[in-house]
Amino acid sequence: VMRLTKPTLFTNIPVTCEERDLPGNLFNQLMKDDPSTVKGAETLMLGEMLTLPQNFGNIFLGETFSSYISVHNDSNQVVKDILVKADLQTSSQRLNLSASSAAVAELKPDCCIDDVIHHEVKEIGTHILVCAVSYTTQTGEKMYFRKFFKFQVLKPLDVKTKFYNAETDEVFLEAQIQNITTSPMFMEKVSLEPSMMYNVAELNTVDTAGESESTFGARTYLQPMDTRQYLYCLKPKQEFAEKAGVIKGVTVIGKLDIVWKTNLGERGRLQTSQLQRMAPGYGDVRLSLETIPDTVNLEEPFDITCKITNCSERTMDLVLEMCNTNSIHWCGVSGRQLGKLHPSSSLHLALTLLSSVQGLQSVSGLRLTDTFLKRTYEYDDIAQVCVVSSEVKQS
Amino acid sequence: SNAKDAKSTSDEDDSRDIGQQKIQEEILFHEETIDLGGDEFESEGNETVSEESNNFVDKLNEQMMESVIISDSPNNSEDDTGELGCLQEIVDQMEAKDSQKTQAEVDKEEFLSNESETEHEETPKDISEIGTDDQTSLKEESIQEAVKEEPKLRNNVPVETKPNNIDESKPEDQILSPSTTTPSTEAEPIPVCTIFSQANSASTQPQLFLPDGFEPQMVKSPSFSSVIETPVKSNPQVVQPSPSLSKFFGDTVNTNTLASDFFDSFTTSNFISVSNPNASSSVPEQMSSLSNGGGGSSSNPTFPMQNGRSEAGGPPSSLEITQSPKPFSQIQAVFAGSDDPFATALNMSELDRRNDAWIPSEETRNVLISVATQQYSAVFIDKENLTMPGLKFDNIQGDAVKDLMLRFLGEQAAVKRQVLNANSVEQSFVGLKQLISSKNWKAAVDLCGRLLTAHGQGYKKSGLPASHTTDSLQLWFVRLALLVKLNLFQNAEMEFEPFGNLDQPDLYYEYYPNVYPGRKGSMVPFSMRILHAELPQYLGNPQESLDRLHSMKIICAKILENLEQGLAEDGSMTNITQENRQASVQLWRSRLGRVMYSMANCLLMMKDYVLAVDAYHTVIKYYPQQEPQLLSGIGRIFLQIGDIKTAEKYFQDVEKVTHKLDGLQTQIMVLMNRAFLHLGQNNFAEAHRFFTEILRIDSSNAVANNNAAVCLLYLGKLKDSLRQLEGMVQQDPKHYLHESVLFNLTTMYELESSRSMQKKQALLEAVAVKEGDSFNTQCLKLG
């Protein structure tokens, strides 16, 4: 049995000299005669000669374990009815990896039965390859032997995530993927498979002149212990966004699908478990902005629309107060009744205000009071508007 | 895993000893029984993680990076008890009676593993105990195997334990910061480079000599140096100047050429020897104190080295006095001569200047200027600024092939093994070349050592004042280059050490105004500088290599700049004809290219692929004729990383570049690249087809032959693969007994049958007939 990792390329150590040096062209000639050098460019270290794997190496979760199983008749007798069985015992299950389960009728001396098995490794920890061979000797005696080959499956990646909640219902996911193997890793694909509630946009390319360019530049691979940061933007689908109560508490966002390649295209693939996120706590009453102008004129009233959602489990009776700040002046009556608001329902509210100060101003000073519980909720820094003098805007 | 593989590909060179043990075992998958200990640990870890996923909730608002469980099938976690039951079953089954009887391999490993099986029998209930039992028996095994395996084991430990570490530290991860995982970074073996890794060089270095079994030679045999150095002094030899360099650079088959010829050809400037063949000026440095420089005649060209060790005796003390840095005032340069040789001489000096040019550091330059201005009075130089080299170890002669033959094939077979050694060839450059080209590099190193001893730079001479000649430096270069070729990097480094940064004043011709009147530049061959710069990377210090290469690059660029500005190479105002300037620019451009080549290779070893690829692109500018090969090489780099798409792009570029050219070579290159691309796509059948295609147009292509055989193995055709490789080795053993081919062959023999030993021994016999003492026996895996 031999594990078939990808072969490696032979490297040679170039030692050159110049014509005037003592050995003349001897060293160069030696390199030319060496079959492992690249003809015409002998100084190039990386040759073309393939060499077979020299040790078992490491195997990582998500990679494919390939192994050559060869049963060779070392004796000088013909044996019959050979049955070769290869099983992989993991900590949780036992898998049969043999390509065929049919017995081979006979095996002549110095002949062999070959099989190459493949298995995508799905568990971390100890794996044992169990090879069992049964056969019948010429005398009709039934023989049976087993061999065990143990190996450890290691974790190749370390994945960490972080969520950002935007003012809108968008969620930004930052995912750090670290290569914890000992070899460089080419990341072929890192994608987020969103759960049914979300649409996803990948933010890992930059559009320049119509061509999308990876934010990671020319460095397409991860060195051992390197970490890469991926960014995704998740938007709730329309039907879920409207139902205010749905996206609340812990929600399933989706999972990351990672495909990588290492030496000579050795491939590995992993998925994370479902990423979960706590929806931002909005308290009992959520006030979000539906519309707001980005630029307004100085000392001129403008309108905004707010949406007030009852996130609590009880009905509320709300009173709206509007407090002026240094720059923001609310128009209209403060302290008006908004009426009863049932759980998970919302109401829209058009408000008018003006700013007396130029520049970027924060909209603040809204107070909602629930008369049932005599609890007041304060809403400051709801949004920003840019206030310009009217001349500027007209011109 | 690939790094490991790659590492050992090249590691095989310098850590053969480890390799041998390791390889045999690992390829056979470590025949042990089931290790329950490891299991427990890991599955526990898994569970904790999945439980923690519930706690994610609590930490969500903390805007911290969270660790995420990776799993293909998230529902995989199962009870410990269940799995253990399973494993127990195996243990029980393993007691099935006849397994041992039929098991083919009856080597030690297996025996040990059986032992541990019985241990299982005895304590089938207590699971944890089984785990520890097993581990101890494992440990025993490795200790019994060889102590050498230890570094390898150590290397593995951090990797194996890591998943646990991380799992355990997960809660903190969430609360603290992503950096909490860094402890594991420390545990990780430092990755050095893909293609050639020195990761554990510290541990392997002391063993460098073991593969050849030569460690005792490191200890100096007291007889050696005195034996060799005395003849130099006791025989006031006279040197015959040789008329021209070409005699020794060309492939003269003049076997009667004497060592003395070679010596003076380098020792003295051609300028002198050409113009006046009998000039007395051509005295090697040992002569200077003997004051017989003027009395030289060509009557006695015998060189004492011919007699080798036989001429012993005489106190070695007087020699030391001779090596003062004092200029050789006794020597008169003779400029007289007919017009014709004078012209040749001028031409030679043109060549000399071009080749030897180097820009010394400010400090060195000042010393050289003071030497020039006070020609006859001694210039006082700090001892630290002088180059005082000496052999650091005795001959490393010995023939690993023969040793193996003695061990496996018996004395009779071993007697047949005849290789040249330092005694069996002429004690001269001719003999040296003979040894080199017959691949008896160890003997060649030995011979270099003898010749250097004759120069007063032998064993124990390090740290004593020495004077240098073109000759001695060339000998040093050859010796050091061969050490590197033999992968004896440690030795090379030791002997390189006294040379410092190759910029000491006594390494410049200007330092010896009397021996080399008018000659300028450095005695150090450019190739030796390259060697010096490249060496640290093989010893696990590629950064130092890069530093050295960078300073070389700066000087090369400066020389080119000087040439462009109409100055001489070293920046002096010398008139140079257009033709010579052109030739010089060409030479220095190619040298600069060579430096870039080394940089690219070094970066590749450092696994800094982005920079390496950039550097190879630069090399293309200097060696445009190598563009297709270099582009293919870059493609292979990407293939190694796993970036198949970019590799394909480069291979397409190669096809574009070679489009205009035709010829066998380019055709092969294109096919080779296509085959590699298929390899990258896991399509071994297609790859095999392309390699076979190459063989159709060039049946002797070793690479294609070997690679096709490798593909066959991956396709499950072991016998076919073996047939192909065997056929290839038999067809032309001279070329195909290459270590990579033999390595593949022995690996397959091991896979094929437990009786691989016989076949390996047959290979050994084949090797014995064809290969010299530099053959790396590790690839036969006969350990």
Side-chain angles (χ1 to χ4, degrees):
Chain A
V1 171
M2 171 179 155
R3 180 182 168 198
L4 294 175
T5 42
K6 285 282 184 114
T8 46
L9 292 170
F10 189 82
T11 52
N12 45 66
I13 295 175
V15 174
T16 58
C17 62
E18 292 180 346
E19 223 168 281
R20 272 174 50 105
D21 291 335
L22 192 151
N25 62 350
L26 255 183
F27 283 166
N28 299 347
Q29 192 57 47
L30 282 172
M31 281 176 52
K32 277 203 180 83
D33 292 343
D34 187 332
S36 68
T37 57
V38 178
K39 297 293 154 292
E42 285 82 7
T43 325
L44 188 63
M45 222 172 184
L46 186 64
E48 293 170 325
M49 198 75 112
L50 290 173
T51 41
L52 292 171
Q54 289 161 67
N55 52 33
F56 183 83
N58 294 326
I59 183 149
F60 295 99
L61 192 66
E63 287 185 339
T64 301
F65 169 74
S66 303
S67 186
Y68 197 108
I69 295 174
S70 169
V71 176
H72 188 261
N73 185 353
D74 279 338
S75 72
N76 48 16
Q77 294 183 353
V78 179
V79 293
K80 284 177 186 149
D81 304 323
I82 306 100
L83 186 65
V84 185
K85 218 176 116 206
D87 285 352
L88 190 66
Q89 170 78 53
T90 70
S91 54
S92 66
Q93 54 185 332
R94 192 179 179 121
L95 301 151
N96 179 28
L97 301 180
S98 306
S100 73
S101 51
V104 179
E106 66 166 30
L107 187 62
K108 293 200 178 92
D110 211 31
C111 286
C112 54
I113 301 170
D114 301 294
D115 193 7
V116 177
I117 54 161
H118 302 282
H119 168 65
E120 196 186 323
V121 178
K122 293 182 176 166
E123 278 177 74
I124 282 183
T126 313
H127 285 58
I128 300 152
L129 182 67
V130 183
C131 297
V133 181
S134 64
Y135 59 93
T136 315
T137 61
Q138 274 180 324
T139 56
E141 201 182 341
K142 282 255 181 202
M143 303 293 267
Y144 173 77
F145 70 89
R146 295 152 68 94
K147 285 196 169 199
F148 298 86
F149 307 97
K150 193 184 79 176
F151 58 94
Q152 292 285 339
V153 174
L154 308 174
K155 201 172 127 183
L157 297 169
D158 198 23
V159 181
K160 289 171 182 176
T161 56
K162 191 173 177 180
F163 291 104
Y164 294 91
N165 300 300
E167 184 58 36
T168 53
D169 281 328
E170 286 171 334
V171 180
F172 289 90
L173 168 67
E174 227 183 326
Q176 289 187 344
I177 298 177
Q178 187 179 26
N179 172 8
I180 54 173
T181 72
T182 47
S183 58
M185 215 181 227
F186 167 68
M187 304 309 272
E188 189 165 76
K189 184 180 121 186
V190 178
S191 67
L192 182 65
E193 286 177 7
S195 67
M196 53 181 291
M197 286 190 286
Y198 291 95
N199 286 319
V200 70
E202 296 196 14
L203 302 175
N204 302 309
T205 51
V206 179
D207 265 322
T208 35
E211 272 181 55
S212 65
E213 197 182 301
S214 166
T215 47
F216 306 112
R219 195 170 274 258
T220 53
Y221 62 94
L222 271 179
Q223 292 280 26
M225 300 321 288
D226 277 6
T227 304
R228 215 185 236 192
Q229 190 139 326
Y230 289 86
L231 184 61
Y232 300 90
C233 174
L234 293 138
K235 257 192 192 134
K237 288 182 184 162
Q238 198 62 39
E239 60 264 38
F240 296 103
E242 274 164 13
K243 285 187 226 157
V246 174
I247 301 176
K248 190 178 168 188
V250 183
T251 45
V252 170
I253 294 283
K255 52 187 176 183
L256 281 169
D257 189 7
I258 305 161
V259 179
W260 74 89
K261 279 188 175 162
T262 53
N263 181 34
L264 285 183
E266 188 112 54
R267 187 173 174 275
R269 180 183 174 182
L270 282 182
Q271 284 187 343
T272 62
S273 53
Q274 287 289 352
L275 302 175
Q276 289 172 317
R277 137 192 195 251
M278 174 70 152
Y282 297 120
D284 293 340
V285 188
R286 181 183 178 196
L287 184 139
S288 58
L289 273 179
E290 294 283 291
T291 58
I292 185 169
D294 51 358
T295 312
V296 295
N297 283 340
L298 186 68
E299 293 171 353
E300 271 179 37
F302 60 94
D303 298 324
I304 59 171
T305 317
C306 296
K307 182 181 174 186
I308 294 165
T309 313
N310 181 356
C311 299
S312 70
E313 305 292 317
R314 57 196 159 79
T315 307
M316 289 182 178
D317 186 24
L318 294 172
V319 174
L320 174 71
E321 280 177 86
M322 300 177 291
C323 311
N324 289 346
T325 64
N326 288 340
S327 55
I328 297 290
H329 306 275
W330 296 95
C331 311
V333 187
S334 179
R336 69 168 142 150
Q337 300 278 339
L338 295 178
K340 286 200 172 66
L341 193 60
H342 296 287
S344 295
S345 61
S346 56
L347 59 85
H348 290 259
L349 195 61
L351 295 170
T352 310
L353 65 159
L354 61 85
S355 172
S356 58
V357 180
Q358 289 192 31
L360 196 63
Q361 298 302 331
S362 207
V363 178
S364 297
L366 287 180
R367 303 282 178 270
L368 284 170
T369 307
D370 178 11
T371 51
F372 289 151
L373 285 179
K374 298 274 183 292
R375 197 178 280 172
T376 302
Y377 305 94
E378 298 182 359
Y379 298 93
D380 291 321
D381 296 320
I382 305 160
Q384 276 88 37
V385 283
C386 182
V387 182
V388 295
S389 71
S390 40
E391 294 86 52
V392 176
K393 184 136 196 213
Q394 274 152 19
S395 65
Chain B
S1 72
N2 301 305
K4 273 273 163 66
D5 290 350
K7 187 202 291 179
S8 25
T9 322
S10 29
D11 255 358
E12 60 174 299
D13 302 319
D14 63 335
S15 57
R16 288 280 170 183
D17 44 335
I18 299 173
Q20 202 150 17
Q21 296 288 341
K22 183 174 76 189
I23 287 160
Q24 263 196 331
E25 266 178 333
E26 297 234 65
I27 281 208
L28 296 172
F29 271 78
H30 266 293
E31 291 207 6
E32 296 132 18
T33 33
I34 308 111
D35 181 4
L36 298 173
D39 265 336
E40 273 172 38
F41 216 5
E42 232 108 70
S43 42
E44 254 174 47
N46 258 344
E47 260 179 34
T48 10
V49 177
S50 41
E51 275 165 22
E52 268 156 26
S53 60
N54 303 327
N55 301 339
F56 278 8
V57 180
D58 309 332
K59 282 128 191 171
L60 273 170
N61 292 328
E62 298 189 33
Q63 296 291 301
M64 302 267 65
M65 282 292 177
E66 292 160 11
S67 294
V68 171
I69 322 154
I70 307 165
S71 65
D72 251 345
S73 37
N75 309 326
N76 253 344
S77 47
E78 278 191 22
D79 268 358
D80 272 4
T81 44
E83 45 188 84
L84 290 172
C86 275
L87 294 170
Q88 201 56 58
E89 224 174 82
I90 302 178
V91 176
D92 292 336
Q93 283 169 0
M94 280 180 55
E95 290 155 26
K97 42 354 175 159
D98 54 358
S99 60
Q100 267 86 338
K101 194 166 69 183
T102 41
Q103 252 167 6
E105 296 184 42
V106 262
D107 50 0
K108 193 170 59 174
E109 283 164 61
E110 195 154 305
F111 180 66
L112 280 166
S113 73
N114 290 340
E115 262 183 4
S116 58
E117 278 166 36
T118 44
E119 274 171 26
H120 281 261
E121 281 175 51
E122 282 157 22
T123 52
K125 282 149 246 160
D126 189 344
I127 286 139
S128 62
E129 214 180 300
I130 292 179
T132 44
D133 265 2
D134 208 357
Q135 271 161 359
T136 45
S137 70
L138 223 176
K139 215 171 271 170
E140 272 163 29
E141 188 178 325
S142 47
I143 290 163
Q144 283 183 22
E145 285 300 312
V147 195
K148 289 168 210 157
E149 210 186 324
E150 257 186 47
K152 162 72 188 161
L153 285 172
R154 234 182 284 139
N155 211 3
N156 270 345
V157 168
V159 185
E160 277 174 3
T161 53
K162 215 166 48 171
N164 297 328
N165 290 343
I166 285 166
D167 288 345
E168 280 159 13
S169 65
K170 200 155 286 178
E172 289 104 289
D173 272 5
Q174 291 167 351
I175 299 153
L176 298 171
S177 76
S179 63
T180 39
T181 45
T182 43
S184 58
T185 327
E186 289 161 340
E188 188 82 357
I190 309 144
V192 181
C193 39
T194 24
I195 51 161
F196 192 97
S197 172
Q198 295 279 344
N200 43 8
S201 56
S203 54
T204 61
Q205 277 162 16
Q207 291 156 351
L208 270 177
F209 307 100
L210 288 182
D212 311 298
F214 295 131
E215 58 201 326
Q217 273 91 339
M218 279 300 292
V219 186
K220 173 243 169 191
S221 77
S223 61
F224 182 70
S225 58
S226 59
V227 165
I228 294 299
E229 80 203 14
T230 35
V232 174
K233 184 181 47 58
S234 56
N235 274 37
Q237 89 246 50
V238 189
V239 168
Q240 179 171 48
S242 85
S244 134
L245 264 181
S246 62
K247 191 170 166 190
F248 307 109
F249 286 130
D251 283 311
T252 343
V253 209
N254 180 7
T255 42
N256 291 325
T257 330
L258 300 163
S260 52
D261 291 319
F262 290 94
F263 273 112
D264 75 39
S265 74
F266 277 93
T267 315
T268 60
S269 159
N270 301 297
F271 189 90
I272 301 162
S273 52
V274 167
S275 57
N276 190 347
N278 288 319
S280 51
S281 55
S282 50
V283 183
E285 82 284 26
Q286 307 98 309
M287 303 293 96
S288 55
S289 68
L290 301 172
S291 303
N292 69 342
S297 81
S298 51
S299 59
N300 182 13
T302 333
F303 188 74
M305 281 312 297
Q306 274 176 310
N307 303 327
R309 293 156 182 255
S310 59
E311 287 181 57
S317 55
S318 65
L319 232 174
E320 261 103 272
I321 313 162
T322 68
Q323 278 116 16
S324 75
K326 216 181 284 171
F328 306 89
S329 43
Q330 304 95 323
I331 300 157
Q332 311 103 15
V334 186
F335 285 90
S338 63
D339 280 4
D340 209 15
F342 192 66
T344 347
L346 265 180
N347 200 26
M348 285 309 288
S349 79
E350 184 74 37
L351 261 177
D352 284 346
R353 199 207 59 239
R354 184 184 305 149
N355 278 287
D356 303 333
W358 199 249
I359 300 174
S361 67
E362 200 57 44
E363 215 174 301
T364 308
R365 186 195 303 274
N366 289 337
V367 174
L368 291 177
I369 288 169
S370 65
V371 170
T373 45
Q374 324 173 13
Q375 217 164 359
Y376 290 97
S377 64
V379 179
F380 238 48
I381 296 157
D382 209 347
K383 214 179 162 190
E384 276 150 40
N385 292 332
L386 290 177
T387 315
M388 296 175 288
L391 304 184
K392 290 285 172 76
F393 53 91
D394 266 2
N395 46 331
I396 49 159
Q397 62 184 216
D399 182 3
V401 176
K402 191 165 188 166
D403 294 344
L404 280 179
M405 290 179 85
L406 263 175
R407 234 175 100 189
F408 293 101
L409 305 175
E411 217 165 306
Q412 263 192 322
V415 170
K416 286 187 212 143
R417 163 82 173 165
Q418 290 296 335
V419 284
L420 295 172
N421 60 31
N423 289 323
S424 54
V425 296
E426 211 178 308
Q427 306 294 302
S428 69
F429 288 5
V430 169
L432 190 56
K433 284 183 172 186
Q434 203 181 333
L435 289 177
I436 295 173
S437 51
S438 62
K439 293 196 183 173
N440 288 300
W441 299 337
K442 283 179 192 161
V445 168
D446 191 16
L447 183 56
C448 279
R450 291 191 195 179
L451 297 177
L452 279 167
T453 307
H455 270 263
Q457 299 182 359
Y459 190 77
K460 263 200 173 165
K461 291 296 169 191
S462 174
L464 295 172
S467 52
H468 304 279
T469 60
T470 322
D471 247 3
S472 66
L473 278 161
Q474 285 288 348
L475 279 170
W476 274 115
F477 166 59
V478 174
R479 179 173 164 97
L480 295 167
L482 289 170
L483 286 175
V484 169
K485 268 179 123 44
L486 286 165
N487 295 333
L488 296 169
F489 306 121
Q490 197 80 35
N491 304 34
E493 192 192 36
M494 279 196 304
E495 295 201 340
F496 243 131
E497 193 254 312
F499 287 95
N501 55 358
L502 301 175
D503 188 48
Q504 281 136 337
D506 56 348
L507 294 176
Y508 287 85
Y509 286 110
E510 289 98 318
Y511 191 78
Y512 310 93
N514 298 328
V515 191
Y516 303 107
R519 196 163 168 184
K520 288 165 92 177
S522 171
M523 288 179 177
V524 181
F526 184 79
S527 314
M528 184 162 164
R529 289 184 191 279
I530 293 274
L531 196 71
H532 176 250
E534 284 177 335
L535 186 59
Q537 71 185 344
Y538 304 126
L539 289 160
N541 191 0
Q543 204 58 53
E544 174 67 25
S545 278
L546 276 189
D547 288 350
R548 290 179 183 180
L549 288 167
H550 265 290
S551 44
M552 281 184 79
K553 181 187 159 193
I554 289 167
I555 292 182
C556 287
K558 177 77 190 153
I559 286 173
L560 280 171
E561 193 190 307
N562 287 338
L563 287 166
E564 269 158 34
Q565 289 174 348
L567 303 169
E569 288 85 354
D570 58 2
S572 60
M573 308 282 277
T574 314
N575 271 330
I576 305 175
T577 61
Q578 195 54 37
E579 197 184 318
N580 280 325
R581 185 176 302 281
Q582 212 57 46
S584 194
V585 167
Q586 210 177 346
L587 175 77
W588 283 96
R589 265 189 73 84
S590 99
R591 283 181 170 181
L592 183 54
R594 179 68 185 81
V595 174
M596 294 307 298
Y597 231 133
S598 294
M599 272 193 198
N601 286 340
C602 183
L603 286 165
L604 188 62
M605 280 183 59
M606 292 171 80
K607 293 189 181 179
D608 196 329
Y609 300 109
V610 173
L611 286 180
V613 166
D614 281 353
Y616 281 121
H617 275 293
T618 318
V619 175
I620 295 177
K621 276 186 224 148
Y622 293 102
Y623 298 113
Q625 74 281 6
Q626 294 187 12
E627 185 175 11
Q629 287 94 334
L630 283 165
L631 286 178
S632 308
I634 295 173
R636 285 198 301 278
I637 294 175
F638 279 106
L639 219 51
Q640 271 206 325
I641 309 170
D643 189 346
I644 313 294
K645 251 186 224 140
T646 316
E648 187 172 10
K649 201 186 118 260
Y650 274 99
F651 289 154
Q652 278 164 359
D653 286 351
V654 174
E655 295 191 18
K656 257 180 246 161
V657 172
T658 55
H659 187 66
K660 289 151 266 168
L661 314 162
D662 42 16
L664 206 64
Q665 210 58 42
T666 54
Q667 214 179 329
I668 289 172
M669 205 184 312
V670 168
L671 288 171
M672 193 76 88
N673 288 342
R674 286 187 189 164
F676 275 119
L677 200 59
H678 284 292
L679 271 188
Q681 289 157 351
N682 270 318
N683 192 341
F684 285 97
E686 269 306 281
H688 178 254
R689 199 172 67 80
F690 278 107
F691 285 130
T692 317
E693 185 81 359
I694 297 172
L695 290 178
R696 216 173 41 80
I697 53 177
D698 176 15
S699 59
S700 66
N701 192 306
V703 177
N705 238 323
N706 172 70
N707 292 359
V710 169
C711 286
L712 281 175
L713 179 74
Y714 281 79
L715 290 167
K717 296 173 183 166
L718 175 61
K719 289 274 177 190
D720 294 345
S721 179
L722 274 173
R723 220 167 289 134
Q724 176 140 18
L725 276 187
E726 277 169 346
M728 168 182 169
V729 170
Q730 278 155 17
Q731 180 195 342
D732 188 357
K734 196 170 180 303
H735 281 104
Y736 298 150
L737 281 175
H738 185 264
E739 56 179 281
S740 59
V741 177
L742 290 179
F743 182 84
N744 288 341
L745 201 49
T746 45
T747 307
M748 284 193 237
Y749 282 150
E750 281 174 3
L751 172 63
E752 182 199 23
S753 158
S754 41
R755 301 204 184 142
S756 58
M757 211 38 132
Q758 293 162 353
K759 292 188 173 180
K760 286 188 201 169
Q761 283 166 4
L763 282 184
L764 176 64
E765 278 175 89
V767 165
V769 179
K770 295 288 176 190
E771 294 289 318
D773 67 5
S774 41
F775 184 79
N776 196 336
T777 52
Q778 198 76 42
C779 64
L780 292 174
K781 299 206 267 180
L782 273 166

